[in-house]
Amino acid sequence: MLNGDVHDSSALLARFDPRLKVVAVMFFSILVAVSETRPCLLAAFILASAMVVFSGLSIIETVKRLIPVNTMVIFLWIFLPFSLKGTVIYTVGPFTASMEGSNLAVLITLTAN
């Protein structure tokens, strides 16, 4: 999955035991999946971004691999604010977007990325 042009074997995280990295990623993924607050998910996003840098992965290749996920997230941003009832933040024709739907879209965006 990772080839020579994507992964730098001299990076800081490349020195750790692969089993340790798999277990750490598993626990991190579970933690992010069950988190429901914006500050926690924002901190997880920042930590994951830092791990990409420290792992020696190509940032461009990593972003390219996130394109399919973010394509789905774009559709969530289009439909989710209009699907949940709550505090109206703006209207588009007969449709009203809610603050609650937008907040949920933010949480899903941070979780997915």
Side-chain angles (χ1 to χ4, degrees), residues 2 14 24 36 44 48-49 52 74-75 83 85 101-103:
L2 296 177
E36 295 180 354
S49 300
V52 167
I74 289 170
F75 284 108
S83 301
K85 294 194 183 290
S102 296
N103 285 335

Side-chain angles (χ1 to χ4, degrees), residues 38 76-92 94-106:
R38 192 181 293 185
L76 287 173
W77 272 99
I78 292 171
F79 295 109
L80 201 53
F82 299 101
S83 301
L84 293 176
K85 294 194 183 290
T87 307
V88 176
I89 53 175
Y90 62 90
T91 59
V92 177
F95 305 107
T96 58
S98 69
M99 178 66 76
E100 290 75 10
S102 296
N103 285 335
L104 185 57
V106 168

Side-chain angles (χ1 to χ4, degrees), residues 7-99:
H7 184 261
D8 180 12
S9 60
S10 67
L12 176 66
L13 291 179
R15 299 180 192 129
F16 288 100
D17 183 11
R19 294 170 292 194
L20 176 65
K21 292 189 281 189
V22 168
V23 171
V25 167
M26 181 186 70
F27 283 119
F28 182 74
S29 298
I30 291 169
L31 177 69
V32 170
V34 299
S35 296
E36 295 180 354
T37 62
R38 192 181 293 185
C40 182
L41 289 173
L42 186 59
F45 178 76
I46 291 168
L47 179 62
S49 300
M51 292 298 108
V52 167
V53 172
F54 290 126
S55 68
L57 293 173
S58 167
I59 294 174
I60 294 171
E61 288 298 319
T62 303
V63 170
K64 284 182 185 177
R65 290 175 186 214
L66 285 172
I67 289 174
V69 172
N70 285 316
T71 302
M72 180 202 67
V73 168
I74 289 170
F75 284 108
L76 287 173
W77 272 99
I78 292 171
F79 295 109
L80 201 53
F82 299 101
S83 301
L84 293 176
K85 294 194 183 290
T87 307
V88 176
I89 53 175
Y90 62 90
T91 59
V92 177
F95 305 107
T96 58
S98 69
M99 178 66 76

